[in-house]
Amino acid sequence: MRILVDVTGDTPAGSRLAHAARALAGRGHATWWRGAAPPDGVERAPTGAALSRVRVDVAIGGARAPWRTALAGWRAGARCLVLGLDRASVAKWSVVDRACWEGAHGAGLIDERDADDMRRDPLGLDLERLALWPPGPPGAADDPASDDAEVLERACERALARQRSRSLRPALFLDRDGTLVVEKGYLSDPNDLELLPGVGAALRAAHAAGFALVVISNQSGAGRGLFPLSRVYEAMARLRALLRAEGVELDAIYFCPHRPEAGCACRKPGTELLERAADDLQLSLRHSTMVGDKLLDAATGLNAGGRGVLLRTGYGRDEERRVGSAGEVTPDQVADDLPAAVAWVLEREEMERRD
């Protein structure tokens, strides 16, 4: 995502929202800071009419004067407004504030202390647009692994998905290692990420055809203690940056950090991450495809009710030898690489539209 953070007197730099927004920059989202001095690695947004030179997806701000954040976001082309809300401030909103909330497809995050009162009387806000901050104190600033960063990131993604359309979209679910980037074992150093040939062009084509682009990755190296969870986020941030340089913005990234023997539902070929993405991003699993260099990737797509494609990149050629063996899934397609897989997916999509 491309995010404008409105850090003014209404949303102080030390607020929970500002801390979480700083962490989003650490997750690889292109972020501009308006108001207070930006943290390291974050650009200062231009002022006044010059803000139109920055093109963003989401404007983030506080609850006291949402019209200010909405105006800044409008100048920067934002399609959504995500606010850190408190009941006392919402109760004082003007007609203009409420119009900005509705017109910019607002979404809000509230603390637990306001939750019961907002359920009883949401002060005219749509409860479906509200989410809770995690219980307890705010997460540390600049920590991309914090629960606050996760909640804010998903709130922004959900708002964007609902702003685009209420109809369900197909998704291209993508493994990371051996699919988007060169397979290098338990990769944790961001500098080791290297996009495979043709990945950028293939993803641009899928996006142009209306597919959401969602990375689904098993990262058991974190669960095995080979590297800290923060390294996963650093590597995923690097992936976003590499793809952004190719003109590609991912819709979301989900990963499982657990060991294989943990028995979690989020590890592929389990479908929990795909189901979570479908709920967050309004996706049709039946019309979606999971692509990866392992049979478990293809199995994940099939288990979710969609399609599964095995690539011959990464571990794919060794995996292909097991196709047809007892107990192994049969992918809908085996493709040489991601560009070939995307071409097959788009061809199938076109055939189904004709039918």
Side-chain angles (χ1 to χ4, degrees):
M1 289 181 291
R2 300 168 66 86
I3 301 168
L4 176 67
V5 184
D6 187 27
V7 186
T8 62
D10 298 322
T11 312
S15 69
R16 186 168 199 166
L17 184 78
H19 279 194
R22 289 170 65 172
L24 290 193
R27 289 190 173 204
H29 298 288
T31 308
W32 286 264
W33 214 253
R34 178 177 180 269
D40 292 342
V42 177
E43 293 190 51
R44 181 187 290 277
T47 59
L51 193 55
S52 62
R53 296 199 300 265
V54 175
R55 309 310 294 172
V56 303
D57 302 308
V58 182
I60 295 174
R64 295 181 187 174
W67 68 269
R68 291 195 186 111
T69 304
L71 177 59
W74 173 75
R75 284 175 170 165
R79 293 175 284 168
C80 297
L81 185 67
V82 176
L83 303 176
L85 300 180
D86 64 90
R87 186 176 176 80
S89 295
V90 174
K92 297 176 182 177
W93 276 4
S94 67
V95 173
V96 174
D97 289 326
R98 290 186 177 275
C100 289
W101 166 267
E102 292 296 334
H105 199 89
L109 295 170
I110 60 175
D111 287 322
E112 278 190 311
R113 62 176 179 270
D114 281 337
D116 289 340
D117 288 339
M118 290 298 282
R119 291 189 189 99
R120 285 191 293 268
D121 178 10
L123 301 175
L125 302 186
D126 183 352
L127 288 176
E128 290 189 359
R129 294 188 180 186
L130 304 182
L132 285 174
W133 286 113
D142 300 328
D143 180 9
S146 72
D147 290 340
D148 280 11
E150 180 75 11
V151 167
L152 179 57
E153 183 180 56
R154 300 307 177 199
C156 292
E157 291 169 350
R158 288 173 66 91
L160 273 173
R162 281 148 184 76
Q163 183 275 336
R164 286 189 183 100
S165 174
R166 291 191 176 274
S167 60
L168 301 182
R169 292 187 295 162
L172 192 63
F173 293 115
L174 302 149
D175 175 51
R176 190 189 76 179
D177 302 334
T179 299
L180 300 176
V181 303
V182 176
E183 173 61 54
K184 296 183 180 179
Y186 288 107
L187 191 155
S188 64
D189 188 338
N191 295 319
D192 287 342
L193 266 74
E194 178 186 351
L195 290 180
L196 286 162
V199 163
L203 295 184
R204 289 196 301 273
H207 175 75
F211 282 76
L213 305 177
V214 184
V215 171
I216 305 289
S217 181
N218 287 346
Q219 292 293 320
S220 65
R224 297 174 192 270
L226 300 180
F227 45 79
L229 192 60
S230 60
R231 296 293 277 180
V232 181
Y233 285 104
E234 290 172 10
M236 292 301 188
R238 176 64 175 162
L239 175 65
R240 288 187 186 276
L242 291 173
L243 291 175
R244 187 172 296 122
E246 295 281 334
V248 176
E249 284 287 345
L250 295 173
D251 288 85
I253 293 174
Y254 298 80
F255 66 87
C256 168
H258 306 118
R259 299 169 66 98
E261 60 270 24
C264 64
C266 59
R267 181 177 171 81
K268 296 179 293 185
T271 60
E272 182 180 289
L273 295 184
L274 276 67
E275 292 164 1
R276 195 185 304 169
D279 181 60
D280 287 342
L281 306 175
Q282 293 193 304
L283 306 176
S284 168
L285 292 178
R286 185 167 66 89
H287 294 98
S288 297
T289 303
M290 176 83 211
V291 180
D293 67 321
K294 293 182 179 179
L295 286 173
L296 65 80
D297 294 310
T300 305
L302 296 170
N303 291 343
R307 299 191 187 100
V309 175
L310 174 67
L311 302 185
R312 294 189 176 100
T313 50
Y315 294 112
R317 292 193 181 278
D318 290 336
E319 293 277 298
E320 185 181 10
R321 297 189 184 98
R322 294 164 45 206
V323 173
S325 301
E328 295 291 355
V329 301
T330 300
D332 291 295
Q333 178 73 354
V334 179
D336 284 340
D337 52 19
L338 184 64
V342 169
W344 179 82
V345 169
L346 297 185
E347 182 180 356
R348 287 293 300 266
E349 182 79 1
E350 181 62 25
M351 291 173 58
E352 290 182 359
R353 286 175 181 171
R354 290 175 183 173
D355 294 340

